mmCIF file of all heavy atoms in Angstrom:
data_model
loop_
_atom_site.group_PDB
_atom_site.id
_atom_site.type_symbol
_atom_site.label_atom_id
_atom_site.label_comp_id
_atom_site.label_asym_id
_atom_site.label_seq_id
_atom_site.Cartn_x
_atom_site.Cartn_y
_atom_site.Cartn_z
ATOM 1 N N LEU A 119 -23.755 3.450 5.051
ATOM 2 C CA LEU A 119 -23.458 4.703 4.355
ATOM 3 C C LEU A 119 -24.359 5.829 4.848
ATOM 4 O O LEU A 119 -23.941 6.982 4.941
ATOM 5 C CB LEU A 119 -23.611 4.520 2.844
ATOM 6 C CG LEU A 119 -22.454 3.807 2.137
ATOM 7 C CD1 LEU A 119 -22.782 3.569 0.678
ATOM 8 C CD2 LEU A 119 -21.168 4.610 2.264
ATOM 9 N N GLU A 120 -25.606 5.472 5.178
ATOM 10 C CA GLU A 120 -26.496 6.490 5.735
ATOM 11 C C GLU A 120 -25.989 6.964 7.093
ATOM 12 O O GLU A 120 -26.043 8.136 7.428
ATOM 13 C CB GLU A 120 -27.915 5.934 5.887
ATOM 14 C CG GLU A 120 -28.727 6.011 4.602
ATOM 15 C CD GLU A 120 -29.945 5.112 4.654
ATOM 16 O OE1 GLU A 120 -30.499 4.919 5.757
ATOM 17 O OE2 GLU A 120 -30.329 4.593 3.586
ATOM 18 N N LEU A 121 -25.451 6.011 7.861
ATOM 19 C CA LEU A 121 -24.925 6.317 9.184
ATOM 20 C C LEU A 121 -23.815 7.369 9.106
ATOM 21 O O LEU A 121 -23.711 8.241 9.966
ATOM 22 C CB LEU A 121 -24.381 5.028 9.813
ATOM 23 C CG LEU A 121 -24.066 5.034 11.297
ATOM 24 C CD1 LEU A 121 -25.338 5.182 12.106
ATOM 25 C CD2 LEU A 121 -23.341 3.758 11.678
ATOM 26 N N VAL A 122 -22.995 7.287 8.059
ATOM 27 C CA VAL A 122 -21.899 8.251 7.917
ATOM 28 C C VAL A 122 -22.280 9.388 6.964
ATOM 29 O O VAL A 122 -21.425 10.113 6.469
ATOM 30 C CB VAL A 122 -20.598 7.585 7.443
ATOM 31 C CG1 VAL A 122 -20.113 6.560 8.457
ATOM 32 C CG2 VAL A 122 -20.785 6.916 6.086
ATOM 33 N N LYS A 123 -23.583 9.525 6.721
ATOM 34 C CA LYS A 123 -24.123 10.634 5.918
ATOM 35 C C LYS A 123 -23.621 10.635 4.480
ATOM 36 O O LYS A 123 -23.295 11.668 3.932
ATOM 37 C CB LYS A 123 -23.818 11.967 6.603
ATOM 38 C CG LYS A 123 -24.476 12.028 7.967
ATOM 39 C CD LYS A 123 -24.262 13.351 8.640
ATOM 40 C CE LYS A 123 -24.920 13.322 10.011
ATOM 41 N NZ LYS A 123 -24.353 14.307 10.905
ATOM 42 N N LEU A 124 -23.533 9.454 3.898
ATOM 43 C CA LEU A 124 -23.197 9.365 2.477
ATOM 44 C C LEU A 124 -24.211 8.486 1.757
ATOM 45 O O LEU A 124 -23.830 7.608 0.977
ATOM 46 C CB LEU A 124 -21.793 8.770 2.275
ATOM 47 C CG LEU A 124 -20.582 9.649 2.491
ATOM 48 C CD1 LEU A 124 -19.311 8.866 2.214
ATOM 49 C CD2 LEU A 124 -20.610 10.866 1.587
ATOM 50 N N PRO A 125 -25.525 8.696 1.983
ATOM 51 C CA PRO A 125 -26.484 7.813 1.305
ATOM 52 C C PRO A 125 -26.438 8.061 -0.193
ATOM 53 O O PRO A 125 -26.236 9.193 -0.640
ATOM 54 C CB PRO A 125 -27.825 8.243 1.894
ATOM 55 C CG PRO A 125 -27.610 9.636 2.353
ATOM 56 C CD PRO A 125 -26.183 9.748 2.755
ATOM 57 N N GLY A 126 -26.565 6.985 -0.968
ATOM 58 C CA GLY A 126 -26.625 7.132 -2.418
ATOM 59 C C GLY A 126 -25.273 7.295 -3.087
ATOM 60 O O GLY A 126 -25.211 7.543 -4.279
ATOM 61 N N TYR A 127 -24.185 7.162 -2.334
ATOM 62 C CA TYR A 127 -22.860 7.288 -2.938
ATOM 63 C C TYR A 127 -22.309 5.941 -3.391
ATOM 64 O O TYR A 127 -21.177 5.850 -3.866
ATOM 65 C CB TYR A 127 -21.877 7.928 -1.952
ATOM 66 C CG TYR A 127 -21.961 9.432 -1.897
ATOM 67 C CD1 TYR A 127 -23.079 10.058 -1.381
ATOM 68 C CD2 TYR A 127 -20.914 10.218 -2.370
ATOM 69 C CE1 TYR A 127 -23.169 11.439 -1.337
ATOM 70 C CE2 TYR A 127 -20.995 11.598 -2.331
ATOM 71 C CZ TYR A 127 -22.120 12.203 -1.808
ATOM 72 O OH TYR A 127 -22.188 13.567 -1.771
ATOM 73 N N GLY A 128 -23.118 4.865 -3.208
ATOM 74 C CA GLY A 128 -22.622 3.506 -3.409
ATOM 75 C C GLY A 128 -22.021 3.227 -4.760
ATOM 76 O O GLY A 128 -21.068 2.462 -4.870
ATOM 77 N N ALA A 129 -22.549 3.834 -5.815
ATOM 78 C CA ALA A 129 -22.097 3.482 -7.156
ATOM 79 C C ALA A 129 -20.791 4.174 -7.531
ATOM 80 O O ALA A 129 -20.189 3.846 -8.541
ATOM 81 C CB ALA A 129 -23.179 3.847 -8.172
ATOM 82 N N ARG A 130 -20.338 5.125 -6.712
ATOM 83 C CA ARG A 130 -19.123 5.856 -7.103
ATOM 84 C C ARG A 130 -17.863 5.050 -6.813
ATOM 85 O O ARG A 130 -17.864 4.132 -6.006
ATOM 86 C CB ARG A 130 -19.043 7.171 -6.337
ATOM 87 C CG ARG A 130 -20.252 8.018 -6.594
ATOM 88 C CD ARG A 130 -19.951 9.451 -6.334
ATOM 89 N NE ARG A 130 -21.210 10.191 -6.331
ATOM 90 C CZ ARG A 130 -21.288 11.493 -6.122
ATOM 91 N NH1 ARG A 130 -20.191 12.159 -5.886
ATOM 92 N NH2 ARG A 130 -22.451 12.097 -6.136
ATOM 93 N N ARG A 131 -16.811 5.450 -7.487
ATOM 94 C CA ARG A 131 -15.489 4.875 -7.228
ATOM 95 C C ARG A 131 -14.814 5.697 -6.129
ATOM 96 O O ARG A 131 -15.046 6.911 -6.046
ATOM 97 C CB ARG A 131 -14.632 4.956 -8.492
ATOM 98 C CG ARG A 131 -15.107 4.060 -9.587
ATOM 99 C CD ARG A 131 -14.304 2.782 -9.589
ATOM 100 N NE ARG A 131 -15.082 1.720 -10.201
ATOM 101 C CZ ARG A 131 -14.727 0.449 -10.196
ATOM 102 N NH1 ARG A 131 -13.613 0.080 -9.592
ATOM 103 N NH2 ARG A 131 -15.456 -0.455 -10.765
ATOM 104 N N PRO A 132 -13.985 5.050 -5.315
ATOM 105 C CA PRO A 132 -13.269 5.816 -4.285
ATOM 106 C C PRO A 132 -12.509 7.007 -4.864
ATOM 107 O O PRO A 132 -12.402 8.054 -4.229
ATOM 108 C CB PRO A 132 -12.289 4.781 -3.710
ATOM 109 C CG PRO A 132 -12.940 3.478 -3.937
ATOM 110 C CD PRO A 132 -13.716 3.620 -5.214
ATOM 111 N N SER A 133 -12.015 6.843 -6.103
ATOM 112 C CA SER A 133 -11.225 7.930 -6.696
ATOM 113 C C SER A 133 -12.072 9.161 -7.000
ATOM 114 O O SER A 133 -11.543 10.230 -7.236
ATOM 115 C CB SER A 133 -10.553 7.437 -7.972
ATOM 116 O OG SER A 133 -11.520 6.918 -8.859
ATOM 117 N N GLN A 134 -13.403 8.988 -7.015
ATOM 118 C CA GLN A 134 -14.271 10.130 -7.323
ATOM 119 C C GLN A 134 -14.690 10.882 -6.063
ATOM 120 O O GLN A 134 -15.490 11.810 -6.150
ATOM 121 C CB GLN A 134 -15.524 9.647 -8.060
ATOM 122 C CG GLN A 134 -15.226 9.056 -9.421
ATOM 123 C CD GLN A 134 -16.438 8.355 -10.009
ATOM 124 O OE1 GLN A 134 -17.026 7.495 -9.375
ATOM 125 N NE2 GLN A 134 -16.800 8.730 -11.223
ATOM 126 N N LEU A 135 -14.180 10.467 -4.908
ATOM 127 C CA LEU A 135 -14.607 11.088 -3.657
ATOM 128 C C LEU A 135 -13.542 12.039 -3.134
ATOM 129 O O LEU A 135 -12.356 11.894 -3.427
ATOM 130 C CB LEU A 135 -14.865 10.009 -2.595
ATOM 131 C CG LEU A 135 -15.898 8.940 -2.925
ATOM 132 C CD1 LEU A 135 -16.003 7.973 -1.758
ATOM 133 C CD2 LEU A 135 -17.246 9.564 -3.222
ATOM 134 N N SER A 136 -13.988 13.012 -2.324
ATOM 135 C CA SER A 136 -13.034 13.904 -1.663
ATOM 136 C C SER A 136 -12.435 13.179 -0.457
ATOM 137 O O SER A 136 -12.905 12.117 -0.053
ATOM 138 C CB SER A 136 -13.751 15.155 -1.200
ATOM 139 O OG SER A 136 -14.632 14.824 -0.144
ATOM 140 N N GLY A 137 -11.412 13.792 0.121
ATOM 141 C CA GLY A 137 -10.751 13.185 1.271
ATOM 142 C C GLY A 137 -11.712 12.912 2.416
ATOM 143 O O GLY A 137 -11.712 11.836 3.011
ATOM 144 N N GLY A 138 -12.575 13.887 2.705
ATOM 145 C CA GLY A 138 -13.518 13.726 3.798
ATOM 146 C C GLY A 138 -14.509 12.609 3.528
ATOM 147 O O GLY A 138 -14.878 11.855 4.429
ATOM 148 N N GLN A 139 -14.921 12.491 2.257
ATOM 149 C CA GLN A 139 -15.869 11.423 1.902
ATOM 150 C C GLN A 139 -15.213 10.051 1.984
ATOM 151 O O GLN A 139 -15.824 9.087 2.447
ATOM 152 C CB GLN A 139 -16.414 11.672 0.498
ATOM 153 C CG GLN A 139 -17.335 12.871 0.432
ATOM 154 C CD GLN A 139 -17.658 13.281 -0.989
ATOM 155 O OE1 GLN A 139 -16.865 13.065 -1.904
ATOM 156 N NE2 GLN A 139 -18.810 13.878 -1.188
ATOM 157 N N ARG A 140 -13.953 9.971 1.568
ATOM 158 C CA ARG A 140 -13.236 8.687 1.670
ATOM 159 C C ARG A 140 -13.135 8.248 3.122
ATOM 160 O O ARG A 140 -13.284 7.081 3.446
ATOM 161 C CB ARG A 140 -11.824 8.827 1.110
ATOM 162 C CG ARG A 140 -11.805 8.873 -0.387
ATOM 163 C CD ARG A 140 -10.389 8.937 -0.882
ATOM 164 N NE ARG A 140 -10.391 9.582 -2.178
ATOM 165 C CZ ARG A 140 -9.323 9.814 -2.905
ATOM 166 N NH1 ARG A 140 -8.142 9.470 -2.434
ATOM 167 N NH2 ARG A 140 -9.416 10.391 -4.070
ATOM 168 N N GLN A 141 -12.883 9.239 3.975
ATOM 169 C CA GLN A 141 -12.807 8.970 5.412
ATOM 170 C C GLN A 141 -14.111 8.352 5.914
ATOM 171 O O GLN A 141 -14.108 7.378 6.663
ATOM 172 C CB GLN A 141 -12.535 10.300 6.108
ATOM 173 C CG GLN A 141 -12.921 10.332 7.550
ATOM 174 C CD GLN A 141 -11.758 10.001 8.407
ATOM 175 O OE1 GLN A 141 -10.853 10.792 8.552
ATOM 176 N NE2 GLN A 141 -11.748 8.827 8.962
ATOM 177 N N ARG A 142 -15.225 8.893 5.459
ATOM 178 C CA ARG A 142 -16.529 8.379 5.884
ATOM 179 C C ARG A 142 -16.773 6.973 5.343
ATOM 180 O O ARG A 142 -17.334 6.121 6.036
ATOM 181 C CB ARG A 142 -17.649 9.306 5.400
ATOM 182 C CG ARG A 142 -17.734 10.584 6.186
ATOM 183 C CD ARG A 142 -18.466 11.648 5.404
ATOM 184 N NE ARG A 142 -18.285 12.949 6.024
ATOM 185 C CZ ARG A 142 -19.102 13.426 6.951
ATOM 186 N NH1 ARG A 142 -20.147 12.735 7.313
ATOM 187 N NH2 ARG A 142 -18.859 14.585 7.501
ATOM 188 N N VAL A 143 -16.350 6.740 4.112
ATOM 189 C CA VAL A 143 -16.507 5.397 3.550
ATOM 190 C C VAL A 143 -15.689 4.397 4.361
ATOM 191 O O VAL A 143 -16.157 3.301 4.690
ATOM 192 C CB VAL A 143 -16.085 5.364 2.057
ATOM 193 C CG1 VAL A 143 -16.125 3.940 1.528
ATOM 194 C CG2 VAL A 143 -16.991 6.258 1.230
ATOM 195 N N ALA A 144 -14.461 4.805 4.704
ATOM 196 C CA ALA A 144 -13.603 3.919 5.498
ATOM 197 C C ALA A 144 -14.272 3.606 6.840
ATOM 198 O O ALA A 144 -14.222 2.472 7.330
ATOM 199 C CB ALA A 144 -12.234 4.565 5.710
ATOM 200 N N LEU A 145 -14.914 4.617 7.396
ATOM 201 C CA LEU A 145 -15.607 4.450 8.672
ATOM 202 C C LEU A 145 -16.794 3.482 8.513
ATOM 203 O O LEU A 145 -16.967 2.558 9.314
ATOM 204 C CB LEU A 145 -16.092 5.829 9.134
ATOM 205 C CG LEU A 145 -16.507 6.017 10.571
ATOM 206 C CD1 LEU A 145 -15.350 5.688 11.487
ATOM 207 C CD2 LEU A 145 -16.930 7.476 10.788
ATOM 208 N N ALA A 146 -17.565 3.688 7.455
ATOM 209 C CA ALA A 146 -18.717 2.815 7.206
ATOM 210 C C ALA A 146 -18.264 1.382 6.961
ATOM 211 O O ALA A 146 -18.882 0.425 7.434
ATOM 212 C CB ALA A 146 -19.506 3.324 5.995
ATOM 213 N N ARG A 147 -17.160 1.221 6.223
ATOM 214 C CA ARG A 147 -16.647 -0.107 5.899
ATOM 215 C C ARG A 147 -16.248 -0.859 7.164
ATOM 216 O O ARG A 147 -16.386 -2.081 7.248
ATOM 217 C CB ARG A 147 -15.442 0.022 4.958
ATOM 218 C CG ARG A 147 -14.939 -1.303 4.451
ATOM 219 C CD ARG A 147 -13.781 -1.135 3.502
ATOM 220 N NE ARG A 147 -12.603 -0.599 4.177
ATOM 221 C CZ ARG A 147 -11.415 -0.484 3.595
ATOM 222 N NH1 ARG A 147 -11.253 -0.821 2.342
ATOM 223 N NH2 ARG A 147 -10.383 0.000 4.262
ATOM 224 N N ALA A 148 -15.737 -0.118 8.157
ATOM 225 C CA ALA A 148 -15.369 -0.758 9.419
ATOM 226 C C ALA A 148 -16.602 -1.037 10.264
ATOM 227 O O ALA A 148 -16.748 -2.116 10.831
ATOM 228 C CB ALA A 148 -14.379 0.128 10.177
ATOM 229 N N LEU A 149 -17.531 -0.065 10.329
ATOM 230 C CA LEU A 149 -18.667 -0.183 11.241
ATOM 231 C C LEU A 149 -19.678 -1.232 10.789
ATOM 232 O O LEU A 149 -20.394 -1.790 11.618
ATOM 233 C CB LEU A 149 -19.360 1.173 11.384
ATOM 234 C CG LEU A 149 -18.590 2.211 12.198
ATOM 235 C CD1 LEU A 149 -19.291 3.553 12.142
ATOM 236 C CD2 LEU A 149 -18.429 1.749 13.641
ATOM 237 N N VAL A 150 -19.735 -1.507 9.484
ATOM 238 C CA VAL A 150 -20.734 -2.430 8.975
ATOM 239 C C VAL A 150 -20.521 -3.837 9.563
ATOM 240 O O VAL A 150 -21.444 -4.640 9.637
ATOM 241 C CB VAL A 150 -20.710 -2.437 7.428
ATOM 242 C CG1 VAL A 150 -19.580 -3.317 6.913
ATOM 243 C CG2 VAL A 150 -22.044 -2.887 6.873
ATOM 244 N N ASN A 151 -19.293 -4.118 10.019
ATOM 245 C CA ASN A 151 -18.999 -5.428 10.604
ATOM 246 C C ASN A 151 -19.362 -5.511 12.079
ATOM 247 O O ASN A 151 -19.104 -6.526 12.723
ATOM 248 C CB ASN A 151 -17.510 -5.737 10.451
ATOM 249 C CG ASN A 151 -17.075 -5.700 9.015
ATOM 250 O OD1 ASN A 151 -17.470 -6.534 8.222
ATOM 251 N ND2 ASN A 151 -16.278 -4.699 8.656
ATOM 252 N N ARG A 152 -19.916 -4.413 12.613
ATOM 253 C CA ARG A 152 -20.270 -4.325 14.035
ATOM 254 C C ARG A 152 -19.125 -4.807 14.930
ATOM 255 O O ARG A 152 -19.251 -5.782 15.672
ATOM 256 C CB ARG A 152 -21.514 -5.161 14.332
ATOM 257 C CG ARG A 152 -22.668 -4.765 13.435
ATOM 258 C CD ARG A 152 -23.997 -5.049 14.084
ATOM 259 N NE ARG A 152 -25.058 -4.475 13.264
ATOM 260 C CZ ARG A 152 -25.777 -5.173 12.391
ATOM 261 N NH1 ARG A 152 -25.558 -6.459 12.231
ATOM 262 N NH2 ARG A 152 -26.715 -4.579 11.680
#
Side-chain angles (χ1 to χ4, degrees):
Chain A
L119 282 175
E120 277 163 32
L121 193 67
V122 298
K123 299 183 181 158
L124 282 181
Y127 278 68
R130 302 203 191 180
R131 291 262 155 189
S133 55
Q134 295 169 307
L135 302 180
S136 69
Q139 290 169 332
R140 285 183 206 180
Q141 158 94 72
R142 286 159 193 270
V143 174
L145 196 59
R147 186 178 66 173
L149 288 174
V150 81
N151 303 292
R152 305 207 172 98

